[in-house]
Amino acid sequence: MGLFSSTEKKVKLLSKYLLMLVNLAFRNELESLKEKMVKNSEEIKSKLDEREENAKNIENEISRKEKQLKILENKLNNIKKQVENKTKCIEELQQENKLLKKKITAESKKTSIYEGKVGLNNFMCKMRVKYKNSMF
C-alpha cells in the first residue's frame, strides 16, 4: 500500500500541476482575449467617434447648403418679380404703341385731307389770279 499511495500522491500532485498549468493557460488565454476585447472596443469607439464627427460635418454641410438654397430661392423670386414687372411694362408699352399708331394713322388721314384742301385752295387761288389777270 505504501507504493500505491506514493503513486497516488504523485498522480494527485501531477493532476494538481496539470490543473494549475491548464488554469494558467486559460488565464493567459483569458487575459489575451480581454486585451483583444479592449483593443476592439477602442477601435470601435474610435470608428464610432469618427462616424459621429462625419455625421456632424454632413449635417453642417446640409445646413449650409439649405441656407444657400434659401438665398438662391429668394434671389429667384426677386428675379421672377422683376421679370413679371418688366413683362407688364412691355405689355403696357405695346398697348400704348398700338394706340399711338392708330392716332398717327388718323392724323395722317387728316393731314392728307388738309393737304388736299390746301392744294385745292392753292389751285383755286392760282385760277383766280389767272382769271383776274385774264380779265384785265
Side-chain angles (χ1 to χ4, degrees), residues 65-79:
K65 294 294 180 182
E66 285 174 341
K67 287 177 184 175
Q68 286 177 341
L69 180 62
K70 192 70 174 172
I71 289 169
L72 290 175
E73 285 175 345
N74 288 337
K75 285 182 180 179
L76 180 62
N77 286 336
N78 288 338
I79 290 172

Side-chain angles (χ1 to χ4, degrees), residues 7-44:
T7 307
E8 278 181 18
K9 284 182 183 179
K10 287 180 183 176
V11 167
K12 282 185 180 181
L13 191 60
L14 277 173
S15 293
K16 191 175 179 181
Y17 285 127
L18 278 174
L19 279 175
M20 285 174 61
L21 286 173
V22 168
N23 194 8
L24 184 61
F26 279 142
R27 281 187 184 148
N28 287 340
E29 182 66 24
L30 182 61
E31 198 59 39
S32 174
L33 288 174
K34 283 181 181 178
E35 288 173 4
K36 286 181 182 177
M37 284 177 58
V38 167
K39 185 179 177 185
N40 284 343
S41 174
E42 289 171 353
E43 287 176 2
I44 289 171

Side-chain angles (χ1 to χ4, degrees), residues 66-115:
E66 285 174 341
K67 287 177 184 175
Q68 286 177 341
L69 180 62
K70 192 70 174 172
I71 289 169
L72 290 175
E73 285 175 345
N74 288 337
K75 285 182 180 179
L76 180 62
N77 286 336
N78 288 338
I79 290 172
K80 280 183 181 179
K81 287 178 184 176
Q82 289 176 356
V83 167
E84 288 172 359
N85 288 340
K86 289 181 181 182
T87 301
K88 185 178 175 182
C89 285
I90 288 171
E91 289 172 355
E92 289 172 358
L93 289 171
Q94 286 174 337
Q95 287 293 55
E96 188 178 342
N97 194 21
K98 284 181 186 178
L99 289 175
L100 290 174
K101 283 181 180 179
K102 287 180 181 178
K103 284 182 179 179
I104 288 172
T105 302
E107 291 298 320
S108 182
K109 286 180 184 176
K110 286 181 184 178
T111 302
S112 294
I113 292 170
Y114 289 134
E115 286 176 349

